[in-house]
Amino acid sequence: MSIEVRNIHKKFGAFKALDNVSLKVEHGELLALLGPSGSGKTSLLRIVAGLDFHDSGQVLFSGQDAREQKVKDRGVGFVFQHYALFRHMTVFDNIAFGLRVQPPHLRPSEQAVRAKVMELLKLIQLEWVVDRFPWQLSGGQRQRIALARALAVKPRVLLLDEPFGSLDAQVRKELRMWLRRFHDEAHITTLFVTHDQEEALEVADRIVVMNQGRIEQVGTPEDVYHNPANAFVLNFLGNVNFFHCRLAEGKAIIGETELEVPGLSVDQPKIAKLYVRPNQFKLSRGPGKGSSLKAIVEYLNPAGTLVKATLKTETGERIHVEITQEEYRQLKLVKLMPVFVSLKDVSYSEYVQTAG
Amino acid sequence: MQTDFVKKSILPGFTLSLGFTIFYLSLIVLIPLSMLFIKTSTLTFVQFWEVITAPRTLAAYGLSFGTAFAAACVNAVFGSIIAWVLVRYTFPGKRIVDALVDFPLALPTAVAGITLTELYAPTGWVGHFLQSVGIKGAFTPFGITVALTFIGLPFVVRTVQPVLEDLDPQIEEAAASLGADRWQTVRLIILPVIFPALLTGVTLAFARAIGEYGSVIFIAGNMPMKTEIAPLLIMTKLEQYDYAGATAIAIGMLLISFALLATANYFQWLTSKNLGKT
Ligand SMILES: Nc1ncnc2c1ncn2[C@@H]1O[C@H](COP(=O)(O)OP(=O)(O)O)[C@@H](O)[C@H]1O
Ligand SMILES: [Mg+2]
C-alpha cells in the first residue's frame, strides 16, 4: 500500500510543527524521515497513523483519504521509540494481543495464534524469551518484541518512530541491518523515523530530510549525500567544513591564501561559502606546486578506519580532516606538526551567497 | 558485631530506624490493641462467643461489613473514573475538583453526617427525589452506604491517581494501533496495571468504612437489628458499662477485618508481582 500526505499543516498552539508537508511513500518502499530533534518527524508519523489530527491537508492510503478511518482500522503497525510494551503481559501475550482483540468472526483460534506468535519469535530470533515479561529483557530485545507485536496483525504499512534511538551503538547497527534484510523479504511499505544520518543512509531506499516542520529534500541516500539541496542538508548528512571566500578563475581566495578548486568554473568573481567534507582535503608536508593553506595539527585520532585530524590555520580557523591510514603513515603525521592543505579533485559542494 | 539478620548496607542508620519503627508501632498500635485483648480476657470463651454471636451483634456485623463493602465497590468504580479524569484531561476548575477529592477527609465526620442526613431525609433535596421513585434515603442501609461512600472516596482516588499518571499514554495508543477498541484497551491494558493500586485503595476505603462512626450515626437511624452499625453497638455497650462486651464485639470486628485485609493483600501481591518496574 502506498501512503501519500498532501499539504499537511499542524500547529501546537501558535507553534507550527508541520508546515505544508507533502510526500509519497511508494508501495513496498522503505523511506526514512530524517531530521534533527524537534523537526516534526514524530508529529508527521503520528498523523499518518491516525494517533493525531492534522489541521489541514490530506492523508491518503492507496489514494484514499484516511481522515474517516480510526487508528484501529488503518492497518498500520506502529513501533514506538520506547517500545510501549504491555508490561503486565508476557512476550507471548504481547505479540498475541493484536490477534486476540480482533472481532470474533475474524479472530484466529488459540492454536493459530500460538503458531503465528512462534513464527514471529523465530523471525526475530527470540524464541527463548516467550514466557518472559518485558522488564526481564534488554532494550534491543524489547524493541524486537515491539516489532513482532506490530507485525502480528499483518499491517499494510509499518511506521517506526526512532526504533533504535535508545539502544547502544552495537545493537543498533545489528538491528538496522536486520530491518533492512527483513524489508527486502517482506516488502512492506515502511516509514522509518530517525535523527541519525548514518542509520538513514544505510537502511533507506529514499530519505526525506526534515527541518523545522518542513521538508528540505527528498532523494536516494546517494542523492541527498552527494547532491544536497541546501546547506542544511549538507550539514546534517555528515561533518562538513566551510570557508567564507572569494571565488575567481578556478581559485578560492581565503584570507590571504589562494586555493585551487578543481573542477570549478566561475564566469565572474563571487563571494561564496565553500563547503568541504573532511575527506575532500589533501595534506602534504611541503607547500607543493599548487597553492595551499598552511596549518598545524592540533588534534589527531588515528584509531579508526580513517584517521581524523583537526587542523588549525594561521588565521585561527579549524579544519576537520579525514585521511586514510595509508596517507597518515606516508605523512608521518604527529601533533603540532605543520602541514599544507589543498583541495582534492573530488566531488565538493559550494554555495554562492552573493555576487560581487 | 555483624549478624546475618542485618544486611550490610551503604544506607546509614538501619538499626536506628528499625528500632524506632518498632518502638513507634508498639506505642501507637500494639499497646492499645493488647489492652483490647486484656479487657476481653475477663470473659470466658463461651461468654465471648455468646456476645459475638448474639443476633443483634450478628446483624450489626452484617450491616457494617455489608455497607462498607458496597460503599467500597461503588468507590472502586467512581473513584477510578474520577482519578482517570483528573489525570488525563485538562478542564477549567480541575484544581478545585482535585482539592475537593480530599474534602471528605478534612470535614469533621459529624458535620458530614448531619449534612448527608439533611439531604437524604424524605424532606431533603435528594431524599425527596428518591422517595418519588420509591427509595428511602436516610435511616436505611442505603443511607449508610451513601455516607460510607462519601468518606471512602479519597482513598481510592489518591491511590489510583499516581499509577494512572505513570501509565504511558503510548501504551494505549499501541493497543489502539493493534486493533483494540476503547473497551478492550481499558479491560486488557489499563485495568490490569492499576488493579493492585485499586485494590489497595478499595481496601483502605473499606477499612475506614468499617470503623466509621461519626458520619453514619445520623443517617443510620440506629434501629437495633435493622440499621444499627457495629461501632454504635460498641458505644451502646460502653454506655451500659459493659466494657468486656464492648471489647468482645471490637475483637470480633478486628479478626474479621484482619482476615479480609490479609486476603486483599495477598491478591494485591499476586497481581502486582508481574508488573515489574519499567
Ligand atoms: N503535544 C504537543 N504539544 C505541544 N508541542 C508539541 C507537541 N508534540 C510536539 N510538539 C512540538 O512540535 C515540535 C515537533 O515535535 P516532534 O514531531 O516530536 O519532533 P521530532 O519527532 O522530529 O523530534 C517540537 O518542537 C515539539 O516541541
Ligand atoms: Mg520524535
Side-chain angles (χ1 to χ4, degrees):
Chain A
M1 190 173 69
S2 66
I3 313 168
E4 191 179 353
V5 300
R6 282 190 199 151
N7 312 104
I8 294 277
H9 291 262
K10 172 77 185 174
K11 278 187 178 178
F12 291 110
F15 178 80
K16 277 187 188 168
L18 292 173
D19 186 8
N20 200 19
V21 170
S22 301
L23 88 103
K24 184 158 190 204
V25 195
E26 300 294 344
H27 176 79
E29 186 180 30
L30 202 171
L31 190 86
L33 273 181
L34 175 67
S37 165
S39 57
K41 308 179 297 289
T42 300
S43 305
L44 182 58
L45 204 68
R46 290 174 58 84
I47 286 169
V48 172
L51 294 172
D52 247 331
F53 302 104
H54 44 288
D55 301 333
S56 64
Q58 277 183 305
V59 178
L60 304 160
F61 281 12
S62 292
Q64 284 191 315
D65 198 320
R67 186 168 266 272
E68 298 305 314
Q69 280 184 315
K70 287 205 184 115
V71 188
K72 73 185 196 75
D73 303 319
R74 287 201 183 186
V76 298
F78 200 103
V79 176
F80 296 85
Q81 179 171 2
H82 300 291
Y83 330 123
L85 291 174
F86 309 132
R87 63 177 179 185
H88 61 289
M89 293 184 188
T90 60
V91 165
F92 184 95
D93 292 336
N94 262 282
I95 300 177
F97 183 83
L99 299 169
R100 286 176 174 161
V101 295
Q102 285 177 3
H105 62 282
L106 294 175
R107 195 179 303 161
S109 69
E110 261 318 288
Q111 217 176 346
V113 168
R114 171 154 283 274
K116 181 78 197 172
V117 172
M118 293 320 288
E119 178 196 322
L120 285 162
L121 279 170
K122 198 171 163 180
L123 177 76
I124 57 167
Q125 296 150 12
L126 281 178
E127 289 132 302
W128 50 280
V129 302
V130 61
D131 289 322
R132 294 212 193 170
F133 286 92
W135 45 273
Q136 297 169 318
L137 303 176
S138 72
Q141 291 169 337
R142 282 184 214 176
Q143 194 56 286
R144 279 188 278 168
I145 301 297
L147 211 58
R149 182 180 67 177
L151 291 172
V153 287
K154 287 218 165 63
R156 298 182 294 169
V157 290
L158 202 53
L159 306 175
L160 311 164
D161 190 2
E162 310 215 8
F164 314 134
S166 38
L167 305 174
D168 53 71
Q170 190 67 33
V171 181
R172 218 167 143 132
K173 273 205 173 113
E174 275 168 30
L175 276 186
R176 76 164 85 120
M177 290 327 290
W178 179 88
L179 178 71
R180 184 66 239 186
R181 281 198 306 277
F182 166 75
H183 186 267
D184 287 340
E185 283 161 27
H187 290 295
I188 175 168
T189 310
T190 304
L191 192 52
F192 170 88
V193 164
T194 179
H195 65 258
D196 178 345
Q197 35 89 16
E198 200 187 312
E199 197 164 282
L201 290 170
E202 204 167 301
V203 169
D205 293 324
R206 283 195 306 149
I207 294 178
V208 174
V209 184
M210 287 188 71
N211 183 31
Q212 297 184 342
R214 282 186 308 274
I215 290 180
E216 299 282 358
Q217 189 176 5
V218 183
T220 61
E222 202 178 347
D223 220 20
V224 290
Y225 189 83
H226 291 297
N227 304 306
N230 54 40
F232 174 82
V233 177
L234 176 77
N235 237 315
F236 198 70
L237 283 171
N239 297 327
V240 69
N241 299 281
F242 82 89
F243 303 93
H244 285 283
C245 66
R246 210 179 122 81
L247 292 178
E249 291 153 13
K251 292 219 167 84
I253 298 118
I254 303 169
E256 304 277 281
T257 325
E258 280 187 17
L259 267 186
E260 232 159 288
V261 187
L264 179 85
S265 61
V266 277
D267 21 354
Q268 64 182 105
K270 284 173 181 162
I271 303 290
K273 265 182 173 178
L274 204 59
Y275 292 86
V276 188
R277 294 235 187 258
N279 62 353
Q280 290 175 323
F281 293 100
K282 181 163 173 54
L283 304 189
S284 49
R285 297 189 72 122
K289 54 181 184 340
S291 55
S292 52
L293 267 175
K294 195 170 175 226
I296 57 162
V297 179
E298 190 183 52
Y299 171 80
L300 195 62
N301 173 18
T305 330
L306 293 172
V307 177
K308 290 181 186 146
T310 304
L311 312 176
K312 197 171 163 190
T313 65
E314 282 171 322
T315 51
E317 280 169 291
R318 288 192 170 77
I319 310 176
H320 299 282
V321 178
E322 285 172 13
I323 55 172
T324 62
Q325 293 282 356
E326 203 182 332
E327 283 174 283
Y328 165 67
R329 276 195 301 274
Q330 278 169 6
L331 284 164
K332 299 199 181 67
L333 222 54
V334 285
K335 248 189 178 174
L336 298 179
M337 173 181 142
V339 285
F340 291 85
V341 186
S342 55
L343 298 174
K344 264 197 250 181
D345 54 348
V346 286
S347 68
Y348 67 94
S349 308
E350 61 107 332
Y351 291 87
V352 177
Q353 271 201 322
T354 47
Chain B
M1 193 184 72
Q2 191 74 38
T3 62
D4 293 351
F5 168 68
V6 183
K7 271 210 195 118
K8 247 200 167 99
S9 165
I10 55 158
L11 296 177
F14 174 75
T15 325
L16 185 67
S17 50
L18 181 72
F20 175 76
T21 306
I22 290 173
F23 171 74
Y24 191 80
L25 275 179
S26 310
L27 195 68
I28 300 292
V29 181
L30 289 179
I31 294 176
L33 264 184
S34 57
M35 282 312 291
L36 212 57
F37 283 91
I38 291 166
K39 258 281 176 261
T40 317
S41 64
T42 57
L43 296 178
T44 65
F45 182 75
V46 176
Q47 284 172 315
F48 169 76
W49 191 250
E50 257 168 22
V51 174
I52 64 162
T53 55
R56 191 172 164 187
T57 316
L58 286 181
Y61 280 166
L63 183 69
S64 270
F65 285 101
T67 50
F69 182 74
C73 290
V74 173
N75 277 329
V77 177
F78 292 99
S80 303
I81 294 174
I82 291 172
W84 173 265
V85 170
L86 287 176
V87 170
R88 280 301 155 83
Y89 302 100
T90 43
F91 51 89
K94 175 170 165 173
R95 302 184 102 185
I96 297 172
V97 175
D98 197 70
L100 269 180
V101 168
D102 292 328
F103 196 59
L105 285 181
L107 201 67
T109 51
V111 177
I114 293 166
T115 315
L116 286 171
T117 313
E118 284 280 309
L119 273 177
Y120 282 84
T123 50
W125 286 357
V126 183
H128 186 73
F129 166 76
L130 285 176
Q131 203 162 39
S132 66
V133 292
I135 300 172
K136 275 191 75 182
F139 319 124
T140 60
F142 174 80
I144 299 173
T145 308
V146 170
L148 295 181
T149 307
F150 175 79
I151 55 137
L153 180 71
F155 295 99
V156 176
V157 177
R158 292 298 181 229
T159 46
V160 171
Q161 207 174 3
V163 182
L164 278 177
E165 263 159 16
D166 270 359
L167 194 70
D168 186 355
Q170 288 196 341
I171 301 279
E172 291 158 54
E173 291 174 351
S177 78
L178 290 166
D181 58 34
R182 263 331 268 171
W183 171 234
Q184 283 170 323
T185 307
V186 169
R187 189 164 52 89
L188 301 170
I189 304 300
I190 298 169
L191 267 185
V193 175
I194 67 166
F195 189 77
L198 181 60
L199 199 60
T200 304
V202 169
T203 311
L204 285 174
F206 179 68
R208 167 76 203 265
I210 293 169
E212 180 60 16
Y213 180 76
S215 61
V216 181
I217 43 161
F218 297 101
I219 203 169
N222 308 331
M223 296 238 305
M225 302 299 295
K226 287 212 178 77
T227 55
E228 184 182 51
I229 56 168
L232 182 71
L233 190 58
I234 294 172
M235 277 302 285
T236 315
K237 296 249 183 226
L238 285 178
E239 274 162 11
Q240 297 161 350
Y241 304 105
D242 180 7
Y243 293 124
T247 51
I249 296 175
I251 284 188
M253 285 186 84
L254 196 71
L255 293 179
I256 302 173
S257 301
F258 186 79
L260 290 170
L261 291 185
T263 315
N265 269 333
Y266 172 73
F267 279 108
Q268 209 255 348
W269 170 80
L270 205 64
T271 48
S272 65
K273 71 175 175 165
N274 281 342
L275 287 181
K277 291 208 174 59
T278 51

